[in-house]
Amino acid sequence: MTPRIIAIGCSVLALTAGVAQAADWGSKVPTEINITDPYLKQWNALTYDKAPPAPEPGKDYGMSEDGTFKAPRATPLGGSPAFPGQLEVWDDKSYSQNVEEIAFYPHVSSPWHAWPDVADFDGKRYMYVHDRDYMRVLDITDPAKAKIVYSKGGVWGPEGSSEDWDAKTVQDYFGGITIAWSAKLQKNVVVASYEIGRFGILDNKRTQPDIVESLRKYNSLKGFKVYEMNGPTPDDWKLIATRTTDRKNPDAAIGQQEGSGSLDAPAWFGGKYMYLSAAPDDSYALTEYPDYLHSPGYQVWDMSDPANPVFVSQVTVPGQVVGDKASEDAYLMNPRAGNRTSWMGSRMPPFLPTPVEKGGKIAFGAMGGLGLYTFDLSNPDRPEIKGHVETAPSFAGTEFDNVDTSQYARTGYVFANGYPMNSNCYEPYKDVLVIDAKDVAAPKVVATLPRPAPPKDAKFTDFCQRKGSFGPKRSGTTHQPGHGRDGVVPYAFYNAGLQIFDVKDPAQPKISGYFVPRFPTTSEMPDYTFDNASFAVFTEYDRNIIWLFSVGGVHALKTPLLGEPKMGMSDQVWPPRN
């Protein structure tokens, strides 16, 4: 059958067999609604459809005469058409300032995502690099001569992954992990998150009721597992606890558990309190994101005995729960309601500048399109909302995903950002916001970190022209050895590589260094992976080493901005003994 082309507003749809489909830039905007899930029915009925139309490249956004890029005002999630003025080939040059490469390790991670953490065992330092479909453990005692000592799951190369992995059928995997020292057990302990699949399963929750139902009855744990580390590699670990984050049915079996499970790496430093990102049941459904069902809040767990985690409380912010009038009213006041694009709720646990066990009283919650929240932890069992930051909508992409608190104790400022989810700058640019939080009841945006610009010898004047995604991802994790460095904050910036910001005065930030690796060749990786470029950073502040995770592998880097790197073991064991 020959498709008929119709125009609706600024969107072009191909009509085949009476079913409208998004054009090849992929708006994911449904035109034939088929919702059977009761929670999605309630959410969908709250608003009328305000999905953004697909803007036209070169007209609605693109390069300006002065060599700068004009971003689109709003875009749907998915698809990423090229625009006039982009490079026609992937850039094969690297760029650096104040950063040198110590070593490069190809094909360590996947090209999509990496959760890193490190731990010391018997005079050696090990790095754990993993996502749901793979786990690598590297001996990085000498960062110039790192070696893989454990590998499970697919290894990526020019033909793709060495193993097939079906997100719909996976049953056992490591999500984000956190490693901490347990004084009770006198051992390192791993807490691993397990959540419903976010990639490769659902495209649009308003048009795929069968897949929605499969996620409701997901065939893996929605919660977390706790492992006693009797050695550096997973085959030495002992499972000592399994918990679901389902608070409606805390004893429910796999396949019957509600909620999201635990997202990203838990916030736990080895003491009593652990904080998670989690939706406790399926009523936490007020989110516009087309391929995700939940609006996660936060959970508090008592980890005094890691073998017996005990649920303490659920933290919910206004605008998360369907069927609750006050929550629905708050949701409808949000200008994103109905756009069928924005992520609402947390993606990571709350960010603590100082652990509770060390006297910390403040936490920051990045809640996507719901904004940034500040919490008083004077009663750690029940975090109390103190302040809130809202910004104008910026979609597609995520908003308020990450909070860097490394400078908070010194300055009272934090940095918060979302990140791009579309390629080719097919969405508004995601600023890193500088937030004055000295008064936690009245945090306010006072500046933004500078937008990275290419060096003068590059063949492009804006990183949007370099192809792929461009914008900030995250500045590392909350479990980096040494925690942070005054005045210095590194970010993974997708096709702009590593960007290091001088934040001695947070209100007057500047870029002080960068390392932008070349894109791989097709003899190294398949070109459909190139969009993701550099997607994670992890810094060993105790050894002055930055690890940058890119589609082709892992870069070990050094910079005078941190100081001369230490090539052997640190003077302080990690994780710290508490």
Side-chain angles (χ1 to χ4, degrees), residues 135-318:
M135 165 72 81
R136 248 48 100 216
V137 183
L138 287 75
D139 179 345
I140 60 167
T141 309
D142 182 350
K145 298 178 181 178
K147 55 186 177 182
I148 295 174
V149 297
Y150 176 92
S151 180
K152 183 178 180 181
V155 177
W156 278 77
E159 303 302 319
S161 177
S162 63
E163 294 185 11
D164 291 333
W165 187 75
D166 186 352
K168 296 182 178 67
T169 60
V170 63
Q171 291 184 303
D172 192 28
Y173 61 85
F174 285 109
I177 69 171
T178 294
I179 302 173
W181 174 261
S182 167
K184 178 178 177 60
L185 299 181
Q186 289 295 295
K187 291 182 179 181
N188 285 327
V189 170
V190 167
V191 183
S193 288
Y194 290 75
E195 60 170 310
I196 62 171
R198 274 193 261 166
F199 308 102
I201 303 178
L202 179 67
D203 290 322
N204 197 305
K205 61 191 178 186
R206 297 203 295 163
T207 64
Q208 297 174 298
D210 54 335
I211 299 179
V212 169
E213 180 67 11
S214 72
L215 289 173
R216 297 298 193 202
K217 298 177 180 178
Y218 195 55
N219 59 351
S220 185
L221 175 68
K222 299 177 181 179
F224 62 91
K225 295 181 181 181
V226 186
Y227 297 85
E228 183 181 276
M229 297 180 78
N230 296 312
T233 59
D235 45 15
D236 295 322
W237 301 354
K238 176 184 176 183
L239 178 65
I240 58 174
T242 299
R243 293 290 185 274
T244 177
T245 49
D246 180 347
R247 303 323 305 161
K248 184 184 291 184
N249 307 289
D251 297 319
I254 289 174
Q256 300 173 22
Q257 295 165 359
E258 289 198 21
S260 62
S262 173
L263 283 69
D264 216 277
W268 182 56
F269 302 92
K272 177 178 179 180
Y273 292 100
M274 180 171 72
Y275 298 90
L276 303 177
S277 168
D281 60 59
D282 291 340
S283 69
Y284 282 65
L286 295 180
T287 182
E288 295 295 320
Y289 212 70
D291 60 8
Y292 197 66
L293 303 178
H294 298 96
S295 175
Y298 300 118
Q299 291 187 355
V300 185
W301 286 77
D302 184 338
M303 291 286 287
S304 299
D305 180 0
N308 184 32
V310 177
F311 175 76
V312 176
S313 63
Q314 178 75 37
V315 179
T316 306
V317 305

Side-chain angles (χ1 to χ4, degrees), residues 118-126 179-181 187-188 358 479-483 540 542-543 566 569-578:
V118 299
D120 296 340
F121 280 90
D122 301 325
K124 293 183 178 180
R125 176 160 289 183
Y126 297 90
I179 302 173
W181 174 261
K187 291 182 179 181
N188 285 327
K358 294 186 177 181
H479 290 81
Q480 298 173 141
H483 299 291
E540 295 180 81
D542 63 344
R543 298 203 301 168
K566 186 175 180 60
M569 288 295 290
S570 170
D571 296 333
Q572 301 294 322
V573 66
W574 189 265
R577 307 312 192 222
N578 49 9

Side-chain angles (χ1 to χ4, degrees), residues 36 76 79 87 114 129 138 180 230 272 287 304 334 338 354 359 364 390 401 444 486 521 530 533 551 563 567:
T36 59
L87 298 182
V129 183
L138 287 75
N230 296 312
K272 177 178 179 180
T287 182
S304 299
N334 192 309
T354 304
F364 296 87
E390 293 181 283
D401 166 83
K444 56 187 178 182
D486 285 353
T521 67
F530 293 1
V551 294
M567 307 304 280

Side-chain angles (χ1 to χ4, degrees), residues 21 23 31 38 54 73 140 206 284 286 321 336 393:
Q21 299 172 331
T31 54
R73 289 181 295 179
I140 60 167
R206 297 203 295 163
Y284 282 65
L286 295 180
V321 182
R336 297 160 185 80

